[in-house]
Amino acid sequence: MIATGVLKAEWTKFSSIRATMVLSLAVVAASGFFGWTFANMAAHEYATASAQERLDFLPLDQVMRGMLLVQLLISALGVLVATSEYGSGTLGPSLAAVGRRSRLVIAKAGMTALVALPVSVAGIGLMFVTSQVTLAAQGAPYLMPGDPDALLALLLGPVVFTLLALFGLALGLLLRGTAAAVNVSSTFLLMPVLAPIFPDFLSRLLTTYWPNGAGFRAVTSRSDLPPVLSFGLLVGFVAVMHIAAFTRFARRDA
Amino acid sequence: MIQLTALTKRYGDKTAVDDLTLLVRPGVVTGFLGPNGAGKSTTMRMILGLDLPTSGTATINGRAHHELPHPLRTIGSMLDARAAHPRRTAYKHLLYQAQTNAIPATRVDEVLDLVGLTEVAGKPAGSFSMGMTQRLGIAAALLGDPPVLVLDEPVNGLDPEGVRWIRALMRGLAAEGRTVLISSHLMSEMAMTADRLVVIGKGRLIAEGEIGDFTAAGSAVAVRTPESGVFARLLELAGAHVRPGPDDELLVTGMEAADVGRLAAAEGVTLFELSVRHASLEETFMELTRDAAEYGAAR
Ligand SMILES: Nc1ncnc2c1ncn2[C@@H]1O[C@H](COP(=O)(O)OP(=O)(O)OP(=O)(O)O)[C@@H](O)[C@H]1O
Ligand SMILES: [Mg+2]
């Protein structure tokens, strides 16, 4: 389905401008930094906690919260794959070169996934390492990568991030401007983070069913729903966004 | 070959291109002329599949743009030379387009050389002067060595030397048997480059033909005589068309200068002056598009 030449061209476009490359690095760097920061806070809490609280201490939950911030960067990465063309006016030449519009959208989705996945693996891996090492160094409980909870985060986390990059791409195609797409994406993705300020039932709804909330719940296996369902919710949502974006893109003047 | 059939584009209730049927032939440079807002760019965008026609079709060598497996190898284009990412190098700008059509990277070097940008290939497109930007756009159009070329205002903003260079390039490409369509809103410029002209106004076809047809259509016989009122009537009786020119001149069309002279001799009319005036293409163009332009200005 993917024409390899068009995919190669997407990579050339992506790798030949600084913004996208810097953003990719920022995802990894921010992940490491947040892993360390949140682990420091967690370790401090642990040090001053009561014996009962110490028993309830979860070495992964609190320290991987950085994902809720890094998700904004990874989604912006997807946004840029679309909007860097609109911003610089290269969509015309790109379409004139590629022809059939589906070929361009599929190549963009393929390239976004192929970049976002390794970047997310690196980012979440680094977040895990910095956080667990920091916990260990300060005498708090920590996990080894082989622990089932850790494995889930390390394997499924990058997939969730990749899906959020694809969500960004769909928004970029729909809204055609970096600022608009990043604003909408960030607001949307922060809803589950803001959940605690909403009334209880709304807050519960947000963390359980809001697409990225559901995705993160699947990663941390803390969902009221079976993880497969939580995860499926996110996948379904991103698929619907892409169908909408593609339908619009195929019928609109470039 | 480019074939437009009843091509129409509406933006809301504004009709930008109106039922345009046209065949752009290979082997010649076709100038696509019209005043600002006539619909030239919109037509080109539809040929390239960027704007979708409201109705009608545009085909390139028999196929719609979206049916071409490797579009750049069939049709090269430059609609907006500035359509390059300012931070991307000229080389990468061309490379990505080449890759989409499985064109080897060596061809990128070739076209860079052809347009004279080899030395600045590694510089970002945003640092280019207008002339260099235009050359980069031409290079992209030539990437696939295409049999059909569509260029929107290719000489815009070029210095005289750049203009000459593009003209020679276009004429050379057409001489190789390619279809070359270039737009402009300046008739004088087209007169130097194009073999055929297509004139549109308000999205409609106004005139089409060889350059020569346009100059002939614009020529008239100028006559000065003390008996202009009488002679004008005599000329009209003989089947010519007469309109007043500057300085009490009569401008006669539909009759050869020799016949005008014979008529004057036969009728004993004194002539002070008898000469052939070739209207410039510019005047012909203004005449042709006056209605379209006036309508545009009145809105
Ligand atoms: N996206 C659009 N939305 C609405 N109207 C448009 C759009 N694009 C073009 N038009 C209108 O369609 C008409 C034709 O525009 P077009 O750009 O094709 O003219 P043109 O012949 O290329 O003119 P110019 O010589 O100024 O480049 C104009 O009246 C223009 O305002
Ligand atoms: Mg135009």
Side-chain angles (χ1 to χ4, degrees), chain B residues 6 40 54 59 63 74 85 104 114 137 158 166 174 181 184 189 204 221 243 265 274 281 297:
Chain B
K40 306 178 294 291
T54 307
T59 60
R63 281 192 287 186
T74 302
H85 196 289
L114 192 74
L158 286 186
I166 289 211
L181 180 67
S184 173
E189 167 193 310
R204 289 203 197 152
V221 180
R243 64 198 147 96
L274 175 66
L281 274 173

Side-chain angles (χ1 to χ4, degrees), chain A residues 39-239:
Chain A
N40 264 322
M41 281 162 53
H44 182 73
E45 270 173 38
Y46 182 80
T48 57
S50 66
Q52 182 54 47
E53 283 166 341
R54 287 188 171 201
L55 280 178
D56 292 339
F57 184 80
L58 297 166
L60 210 52
D61 270 36
Q62 208 174 335
V63 299
M64 295 300 269
R65 247 176 233 171
M67 285 176 76
L68 294 171
L69 298 170
V70 179
Q71 62 166 343
L72 305 182
L73 296 178
I74 197 89
S75 164
L77 196 65
V79 166
L80 274 186
V81 171
T83 57
S84 68
E85 297 237 51
Y86 285 109
S88 59
T90 55
L91 190 71
S94 291
L95 272 180
V98 171
R100 188 177 297 282
R101 293 187 178 195
S102 57
R103 273 196 285 219
L104 190 65
V105 178
I106 291 170
K108 283 199 182 299
M111 210 278 309
T112 303
L114 287 178
V115 169
L117 192 60
V119 166
S120 307
V121 167
I124 291 174
L126 190 63
M127 185 182 285
F128 179 82
V129 171
T130 54
S131 62
Q132 301 309 306
V133 167
T134 307
L135 287 179
Q138 303 190 22
Y142 62 94
L143 295 182
M144 292 300 280
D147 183 277
D149 276 1
L151 264 182
L152 191 67
L154 288 171
L155 295 179
L156 201 55
V159 179
V160 168
F161 264 21
T162 303
L163 286 164
L164 295 181
L166 289 169
F167 165 68
L169 171 65
L171 275 182
L173 287 172
L174 279 168
L175 300 174
R176 304 197 279 185
T178 310
V182 167
N183 285 343
V184 171
S185 146
S186 300
T187 309
F188 186 90
L189 295 179
L190 284 175
M191 288 307 278
V193 181
L194 298 177
I197 68 169
F198 291 115
D200 223 24
F201 81 99
L202 205 58
S203 157
R204 205 173 178 72
L205 223 57
L206 276 178
T207 45
T208 312
Y209 296 104
W210 198 258
N212 65 325
F216 285 125
R217 287 262 156 160
V219 171
T220 52
S221 59
R222 299 270 175 273
S223 186
D224 298 346
L225 302 171
V228 181
L229 210 61
S230 293
F231 186 65
L233 229 153
L234 176 62
V235 173
F237 170 72
V238 172

Side-chain angles (χ1 to χ4, degrees), chain B:
Chain B
M1 189 176 71
I2 300 170
Q3 170 80 63
L4 311 182
T5 311
L7 194 63
T8 300
K9 178 69 184 182
R10 280 188 210 101
Y11 296 108
D13 54 8
K14 159 128 201 91
T15 305
V17 176
D18 194 356
D19 196 28
L20 195 59
T21 296
L22 188 66
L23 182 72
V24 186
R25 291 202 258 116
V28 289
V29 176
T30 303
F32 194 29
L33 273 162
N36 290 131
K40 306 178 294 291
S41 299
T42 305
T43 303
M44 289 181 160
R45 292 176 60 79
M46 286 192 283
I47 293 171
L48 289 157
L50 302 183
D51 282 358
L52 310 175
T54 307
S55 62
T57 56
T59 60
I60 306 127
N61 289 346
R63 281 192 287 186
H65 187 271
H66 67 85
E67 293 168 344
L68 300 170
H70 288 302
L72 292 185
R73 299 189 195 184
T74 302
I75 180 166
S77 62
M78 179 181 74
L79 292 195
D80 180 2
R82 290 160 306 165
H85 196 289
R87 304 267 183 78
R88 189 176 285 135
T89 65
Y91 180 82
K92 288 289 174 77
H93 174 70
L94 294 174
L95 179 66
Y96 96 75
Q97 295 183 60
Q99 286 170 327
T100 56
N101 280 241
I103 295 166
T106 49
R107 177 66 186 163
V108 173
D109 297 320
E110 274 174 40
V111 294
L112 278 167
D113 196 39
L114 192 74
V115 302
L117 289 180
T118 305
E119 274 177 26
V120 291
K123 295 253 164 68
S127 70
F128 282 11
S129 71
M130 195 154 190
M132 290 158 83
T133 305
Q134 208 81 349
R135 282 167 189 264
L136 182 60
I138 303 273
L142 296 176
L143 264 179
D145 196 16
V148 181
L149 280 145
V150 168
L151 308 171
D152 199 1
E153 317 238 3
V155 308
N156 239 14
L158 286 186
D159 59 15
E161 123 105 81
V163 172
R164 261 207 309 277
W165 172 74
I166 289 211
R167 271 188 200 140
L169 185 68
M170 295 302 117
R171 301 200 60 83
L173 290 165
E176 291 168 14
R178 297 176 213 255
T179 307
V180 181
L181 180 67
I182 53 181
S183 76
S184 173
H185 51 266
L186 295 176
M187 187 80 152
S188 51
E189 167 193 310
M190 283 296 105
M192 316 273 302
T193 319
D195 306 289
R196 279 185 70 76
L197 291 181
V198 172
V199 181
I200 65 168
K202 294 284 304 153
R204 289 203 197 152
L205 186 66
I206 293 181
E208 188 193 353
E210 309 289 318
I211 282 270
D213 301 343
F214 284 82
T215 21
S219 66
V221 180
V223 181
R224 273 202 312 129
T225 163
E227 302 150 70
S228 57
V230 176
F231 192 45
R233 237 167 292 132
L234 288 170
L235 282 164
E236 273 170 351
L237 281 174
H241 180 75
V242 184
R243 64 198 147 96
D247 297 334
D248 293 330
E249 268 181 1
L250 297 176
L251 290 173
V252 186
T253 47
M255 187 181 275
E256 298 283 311
D259 293 328
V260 174
R262 279 191 202 104
L263 183 68
E267 302 289 346
V269 173
T270 308
L271 295 189
F272 292 167
E273 185 186 339
L274 175 66
S275 61
V276 178
R277 292 282 161 81
H278 287 291
S280 71
L281 274 173
E282 207 65 55
E283 285 162 348
T284 314
F285 174 61
M286 296 300 279
E287 188 72 17
L288 279 170
T289 57
R290 197 174 49 201
D291 293 342
E294 263 171 11
Y295 185 65
R299 257 179 320 114

